Amino acid sequence: MIEAGQRPRIRAVSTRSEYALVAFLRSFDWILLAAAAGLVGYGLWVVSGITRFDVPGAENYYVVRQAAAAAMGTVGLVIVALVPLELWRRYWKLVYGATLGLVFVVFVGAETIRGSKRWIDLGVIQFQPSELGKVLFALAGFVVGRVGPRTRWRTIFSVIGLGAAPILLVFMQPDLGTALVYGAALFAVLFFVGVRWRQLAVLLVAAVLAITSVLWLLPSAGVQVLKPYQAARLTLDPGADPSGITYNLSQSITAVGSGGITGRGVIGASQTRLDYLPEHATDFAFASLAEQRGFVGCAILLLLYLLVVWRGLRVVTGASDLYGVVVAGALVVAFLFQVFVNVGMTMGVAPVTGIPLPFVTVGGSSMVSNLVLIGVLQSIHARGDLGRARP
């Protein structure tokens, strides 16, 4: 009698668990997931072309490493998507502390490469903590519940202070490009949480004045904030010093322009194949793509990016609470900012800041962090759908 009374309850619990799992999977944004998968696949194809001659005797060297990073990132995507969003909000202080820890650890354990400390050597791979820190920075959610449409400036400044700490640490590595991405995410947080337009305008003007001071006013007074090479890379005139400071920029513009409509192919792309274009697998991967595959190849990549941004904005509008709105909004803006600046700098319309091109630039840290970003968006979307489905 006891066993007969217990069995139905066990089956009922099991049925409810299975139903919950199925409902959760159905609530995924499968278009967003398909777009991310398309970017991973397309990115690997791009890397196979632009790095084919980089390692003699090992044409697939970078493709294999990039594919391994994609596999690791996929695992991270699944794990993050399954983590309840409430955990991130409840323990935001720990997440914020982890963000600070990640961007600070490079000062202790990183080797200086090309004048900066960004990468931790783990033996098998080199890990760039600030890349994963972009996602944690948004997940910290330290602004939620602190600011709103009627927020006083004192509260806004306290929030900016919290956000500025990791930005300053990244800037001191020095890594100007990643610091700008963090700054874009912080501005997005303030926007999506509901700060008034007037206050946002004042903050934007203050940011422009600060940038102007760093680039011109302070240097004219003898105070150098940026490293000499950083200041030199900010010029947008490719003819300023084509054999020196602006060599990379001028070669990049040449590569983009020579691609035409359909590109010159892997063999015919001399700028990439003969290594006239430096950093063609990292900073200037888009320029190499433009040379090899032309306008058509670039358009496919940009359309995939647009699809991710569109679905990301749908996640923002469908989030179940303010925390989800803020986190999703910060991630989407940070993602879009990276694409805009990287593509722009290859054509001379944005400064050369070393921001990676998502899913294309060779680098495991960038690949993993972008897939984890997709996982967070999936988590917010799924729980938003489930919340609306509840009676």
Side-chain angles (χ1 to χ4, degrees), residues 227-272:
K227 300 288 185 181
Y229 77 91
Q230 289 180 311
R233 292 173 70 182
L234 293 178
T235 179
L236 298 179
D237 181 11
D241 186 11
S243 61
I245 293 174
T246 60
Y247 175 81
N248 290 9
L249 177 58
S250 60
Q251 294 299 320
S252 175
I253 294 175
T254 300
V256 172
S258 64
I261 300 298
T262 58
R264 305 172 68 184
V266 175
I267 303 298
S270 57
Q271 292 292 111
T272 300

Side-chain angles (χ1 to χ4, degrees), residues 24 80-85 374-384:
F24 183 74
V80 171
L82 294 176
V83 172
L85 199 63
I374 298 297
V376 175
L377 291 179
Q378 290 288 4
S379 177
I380 297 172
H381 179 272
R383 286 166 177 82

